[in-house]
Amino acid sequence: TGFSTALSQTPSISSISSEGREDLQVNHLETQIWIKPDIQKTDVDFSEILNAIQEIAKDVNIFFDELEGVNSPSKDDDSLLHHGNLTSTSDDASRLEVVGEEVPDKNKINGLYFRDGKCRIDYILVYRKSNPQTEKREVFERNIRAEGLQMEKESSLTNSDIIFVKLHAPWEVLGKYAELMNVRMPFRRKIYYLHRRYKFMNRIEKQISRFRGWLPRKPMKLDKETLPDLEENDCYTAPFSQQRIHHFIIHNKDTFFNNATRSRIVHHILQRVKYEEGKNKIGLNRLLSNGSYEAAFPLHEGSYRSKNSIKTHGAENHRHLLYECWASWGVWYKYQPLDLVRRYFGEKIGLYFAWLGWYTGMLFPAAFIGLFVFLYGVTTLNHCQVSKEVCQATDIIMCPICDKYCPFMRLSDSCIYAKVTHLFDNGATVFFAVFMAVWATVFLEFWKRRRAVIAYDWDLIDWEEEEEEIRPQFEAKYSKKERMNPISGKPEPYQAFADKCSRLIVSASGIFFMICVVIAAVFGIVIYRVVTVSTFAAFKWALIRNNSQVATTGTAVCINFCIIMLLNVVKYVFPSETVIIFFTEQPRTESEWENSFTLKMFLFQFVNLNSSTFYIAFFLGRFTGHPGAYLRLINRWRLEECHPSGCLIDLCMQMGIIMVLKQTWNNFMELGYPLIQNWWTRRKLRQEYGTQGKTSFPQWEKDYNLQPMNAYGLFDEYLEMILQFGFTTIFVAAFPLAPLLALLNNIIEIRLDAYKFVTQWRRPLASRAKDIGIWYGILEGIGILSVITNAFVIAVTSDFIPRLVYAYKYGPCAGQGEAGQKCMVGYVNASLSVFLVSDFENRSEPTSNGSEFSGSPLKYCRYRDYRDPPHAPVPYGYTLQFWHVLAARLAFIIVFEHLVFCIKHLISYLIPDLPKDLRDRMRREKYLIQEMMYEAELERLQKERKERKKNGKSYHNEWP
């Protein structure tokens, strides 16, 4: 059997020359003569004989491959390829096995199996016959067959130049490499241990369960009765071992390893197969990078649509099941089937969706509290003393906010803006800022616990990432210098310290340059705001002329959004190698490259998105000077001032517009771009083959026409959510509705990403991961930054501190320890300073003299600041109230930061990373596994002893 299996992996004899055929027959005869006497005369264990036969068969297989490489025609020869026909590289044994048997017609039609209908396709390679890298492919494919993989080739139905290579891994190959890769497989069902409970607790639980029976069923949970395929085998797992194969639960060898595991094993083999002589000429990735193969991917498990209902007829396949219970818009309110996602796409993608779902769930309390703060502002709007005073201040005339064309204006004209500001800047704002800082900590701490549970359920607790391969670019760059790897003991390329430092400097310079580009863009936006406010003030339309500052802010935000989107595509415009040079030092492994690229690209994108927001929050209106002595940009443009109602309204507009537009654009591009490309491909196929052509294509043809997963993996998905997390936490004190907008977006985002993975993308390779990687550290950094920024937003941007100082020090309740609305009487007048109109500079003097307000030219106007009047001993100097407000602001920042950081650290200390019940389950499982392994081994030894005694063979008195 072993020898016939080895012969099944050899090429067809008809494709070899006459001399080679004679050698083949001689070697075949000699091998048979050598085997038979050993089997008859020796008393060696039969498993050892089979191992010897497999070694000999492998040598024979390699010998045949050499003959094929010399005498057989090229694999890319058109004579070997036909539309939908099997080529000469098919497995001979599989053809012999189906003779006289009925071949499953369904397996033939669905395009998931070889032409024999039995060998499942585990991986697909795609190349073009016109590609000149023929010799490398021949050697690569010959070595693939030498590893035991079975192969078929078929040409494309739409383009005869495109060749599909179908790969199948037999049971022997899967078992061998599953043991090498330490793939964990189920071997015994779990036995749950219940703690002893008291009678009183049992009675309470019975009452609670009876009460729950009256309530309606939870609508968000998936219905496992109608979808039984979601029920996973709740079994203990252990690394697969061929010697202890009897311990594992194997009902069917064809389904023991699921499709994702099979594809991962095949990919592992392909990454270690040589395509050319030389120690570095190895692996599929290099062949993809040099263009020998055009694509490589595992197959989807059939169509995601079905004519029959999943509730009545069940799911056609796992892809169909995922579409119906996960990617369909009708189940947007249900929990995600994470176990099914992990089984189909692998642990790495499953962890992303687990984190996204956890983040979305944690946004519910944040969104509720933020909405409560906003509604609190709405309900208290009519009782706000500051808004009342602004709306009633018809006799207070404000100075122009720009040079010449901006007119004098009544303070009451900004009544609407004062009311809108109160909606976001009210007494609950400080509480909400503290809550969000604590929320960020709780979110991260509980995610660590959730990740631990997922890692336990998915057998990732003891999984350690195997020794990674060196990147091809690193080997090509540093192949001349080598040193011994301290782990493997093998020589490998080495990067000198001086070269590493130089590349680090280049990488840092590239990031610094891109950040400078972003800052230059922000500088351009500032100049635009300064110039445009005067232009809008002289506009013909009264609506724009009367709201020149709001129009300036709105258009500036839209232009800023366009610049953000333009700079956001920098990694797609340039080739990947250019991006690596500018954003990473030359990394050794893929994980090092991913971490380096992620950190640097995130820094750039974070600055790109938030630089203008930081300017509005902390610099707008802070360094403008005062009327008569304005500070100017390049001694020409007067810096922009805040609105008479404050700068917070500008920050709210910036955050609201950017957040809504960016999330809408991202969602459109994530789904719209692949939809348009796939639609265009289907349109061309319909034009050539009619409406029925697409449905008759095999699965590999359909998947090839889908869009590949982008080269950066899950980077874009994580980046979008992390930037949103920053927007939700960093400036949340200025925009309490940010968590609500993020929640609504994420509910859509989960289904968008699910739909994209299931229907629009080729199936990505299932890969393992224990956590979300470097993104967790970035989230912790954003949480720390959010505490600092919210402290400055409350203290500097909002009017919370000036109002507090006025209520306790200068208002009607000064010295009484009260700070209610009655204590704010007169605050607006106290926060405005007086300016003598005749002190205006020539280039700042307005064209209007203000006679439209009182019938005579104005002598005085007011502006937002704490300065002395023009007739004071030191005109326009800072008052004592200014220094009190400044001291209170600094004190608030220090107290707020220390208080919140203490709360964060206390919460981190009190919440353990591993739940107690999970720790107990892990300990008990370890104990039970040891007991089970001992019992199984004891049972096997006793069975062997009985068989020997039954057969009458002598044996030693070994234990047991």
Side-chain angles (χ1 to χ4, degrees), residues 355-520:
W355 176 84
L356 180 58
W358 182 257
Y359 171 46
T360 304
M362 289 294 291
L363 279 173
F364 274 96
F368 176 78
I369 299 297
L371 183 62
F372 170 78
V373 171
F374 179 78
L375 294 178
Y376 174 79
V378 173
T379 55
T380 59
L381 182 61
N382 295 328
H383 305 286
C384 179
Q385 180 64 31
V386 176
S387 300
K388 287 181 181 179
E389 291 186 1
V390 171
C391 295
Q392 296 171 1
T394 56
D395 56 338
I396 297 179
I397 309 301
M398 302 297 294
C399 298
I401 59 176
C402 67
D403 292 338
K404 292 187 177 181
Y405 299 108
C406 290
F408 295 97
M409 59 180 295
R410 288 189 175 91
L411 180 60
S412 58
D413 293 342
S414 61
C415 176
I416 296 177
Y417 304 109
K419 292 182 178 180
V420 172
T421 301
H422 177 74
L423 298 180
F424 302 100
D425 185 14
N426 51 64
T429 303
V430 178
F431 160 75
F432 186 59
V434 175
F435 170 81
M436 287 303 297
V438 174
W439 172 86
T441 303
V442 172
F443 161 66
L444 293 177
E445 291 299 321
F446 275 94
W447 162 248
K448 285 194 289 187
R449 294 167 60 89
R450 173 63 175 160
R451 187 206 65 82
V453 174
I454 292 175
Y456 170 78
D457 292 337
W458 291 357
D459 294 321
L460 298 173
I461 293 292
D462 299 325
W463 178 77
E464 292 295 337
E465 196 167 355
E466 62 182 346
E467 180 65 17
E468 288 189 274
E469 294 181 354
I470 299 175
R471 299 181 67 248
Q473 296 85 346
F474 184 88
E475 284 186 346
K477 182 76 174 176
Y478 304 105
S479 59
K480 296 180 180 180
K481 295 183 179 181
E482 292 185 347
R483 73 171 181 180
M484 299 297 293
N485 188 311
I487 299 175
S488 63
K490 299 179 181 179
E492 65 178 19
Y494 167 68
Q495 183 181 13
F497 179 76
D499 183 78
K500 194 171 185 177
C501 290
S502 62
R503 294 197 63 88
L504 183 61
I505 293 173
V506 170
S507 173
S509 301
I511 287 293
F512 180 74
F513 171 75
M514 296 305 298
I515 291 177
C516 289
V517 172
V518 174
I519 294 175

Side-chain angles (χ1 to χ4, degrees), residues 183-187 236-241 248 929 933:
V183 177
R184 300 183 69 89
M185 301 304 294
F187 71 92
Y236 294 114
T237 61
F240 182 77
S241 173
F248 296 91
I929 288 175
M933 298 295 285

Side-chain angles (χ1 to χ4, degrees), residues 867-927:
R867 293 182 180 270
D868 292 324
H871 303 294
V874 182
Y876 307 117
Y878 287 118
T879 61
L880 183 62
Q881 188 175 357
F882 168 83
W883 299 109
H884 284 163
V885 170
L886 180 62
R889 282 173 168 168
L890 296 176
F892 175 83
I893 292 173
I894 295 173
V895 172
F896 181 88
E897 288 182 355
H898 283 70
L899 177 64
V900 174
F901 279 133
C902 288
I903 295 175
K904 286 169 66 70
H905 287 299
L906 180 62
I907 292 175
S908 300
Y909 175 77
L910 293 178
I911 300 178
D913 296 343
L914 203 64
K916 184 179 182 304
D917 59 338
L918 178 60
R919 187 183 296 109
D920 295 340
R921 286 165 60 190
M922 290 170 60
R923 291 175 179 174
R924 178 161 180 79
E925 178 179 335
K926 186 177 180 180
Y927 169 77

